[in-house]
Amino acid sequence: MSSSASSVVNGGISFWYADDGLPAVREPLCGDASADVVIVGAGYTGLWTAYYLKQAAPFLRITVLEQNFCGYGASGRNGGWLYNGIAGRDRYAKLHGHEAAVRLQRAMNDTVAEVVAVTETEDIDADVHRGGVLEVATTPAQLARLKAFHEHELSYGEKDRELYGARQTAERIRVAGAVGSTWTPHGARLHPVKLVKGLAAAVEALGVTIHESTPVTEIRPKHAVTPYGTVRAPYVLRCTEGFTASLKGQRRTWLPMNSSMIATEPLTEEQWATVGWDGRETLGDMAHAYMYAQRTADGRIALGGRGVPYRFGSRTDNDGRTQPETIEALREILTRFFPALAGVHVEHAWSGVLGVPRDWCATVTLDRATGLGWAGGYVGSGVATANLAARTLRDLVQQDSGQAGRTGLTDLPWVNHRVRKWEPEPFRWLGVQGMYATYRAADQRERLHPSTDSSRLARLADRVAGRH
């Protein structure tokens, strides 16, 4: 190796902020205030919600409250995967019928195109490249799961998905040992921070008020309480994803699951020639403890995985710092996928939290009795799902206030879904640590003992997680 974890820039929010710079500071709240809608959290969900609500009803007074700055959380730290996956679709099929879940999937397919269209309309240069999503298999068990996954996606109406063997996969990207892959056109690579900065600017240009450095400590009907004052509004929308546990009464609502990333130095043309990846697809795999990666606009590989998945007591990281052992684990994945890059320097590492409900189902809700709404629990699929959630919150608020009726979005099966809370400590810490240790052991066993059968360890971890 040409570098060690000690030579890597660790934290600093994320590589994306190191690349594009921190945003200009916005003023905090300076006393009690009122609004028609107050949105808590200025990540993708909150900003998209403000954007669509203000466009639909320009007369609305909308205030966004953010504890740090726009995009400080997952919206500024993710892998830049704009894709059509949504957490909980299969459970929604069981609860509401297959056709309802097909409608949800079609909405997600359309959402990828919607986000790209808005970046063009608002002139947001977010390094968008619509190369689709390529997910590879590198063991017999992974290949069996990949083929089953491919057929499962076709059953939800995704007729433009393609299945590749080893040779066709290598023509797209040369992942060592890849024996097959599946590709969907419903995906794009993007620069997360450029998107969130451009979206915040577009929201302000519409007349929405954004207060940064304003932590909300409590949400109750018609009130968002902060140390600097309380904002009163008929509608209070919680868009806090992995930071939800810090709010009063929300400690066990969504678990802040940790995900970590590394970014390499820019690769040379010769190095890219060994890798391929000319289509710039977002890249994933079929491991139980899966990875995700993109080829950045400036020629790096940004790659992520779970690392240390959860901090005791639902704590979050310090400005994105991650553990040295996580950096080494991600580097190992990089070189296992691309052995020719063994000497490539990893320049940056960081982490962030995503929101995980107890049943692993993303939701969007408006309680008409209280005016409280929320969206999230994306389980790592939030770059696109946040946009669909925001448009749905817009429709729910307009329906409740009498400005509009039911829409195709308000009738989707994830709307107003309720789920039980996570277990108290230390049970949730023990459960999550054990779950991911078991997933990693399952992956190791499948690599060492090739078989088309998935490891029984993974099925055990699924039951512990409550994913099935």
Side-chain angles (χ1 to χ4, degrees), residues 257 288-289 306-310 429-445 447 455 457-458 460-462 464:
M257 187 77 77
H288 301 292
R306 279 292 175 265
V308 176
Y310 173 69
W429 184 88
L430 291 169
V432 176
Q433 299 297 326
M435 175 181 68
Y436 273 99
T438 305
Y439 281 139
R440 286 190 287 268
D443 288 328
Q444 179 75 356
R445 180 169 293 184
R447 285 195 295 270
S455 170
L457 288 172
L460 173 63
D462 284 341
V464 171

Side-chain angles (χ1 to χ4, degrees), residues 1 52 98 146 167 214 271 339 376 445:
M1 288 293 175
Y52 287 113
H98 183 74
L146 181 136
R167 180 183 58 80
T214 305
Q271 288 168 328
R445 180 169 293 184

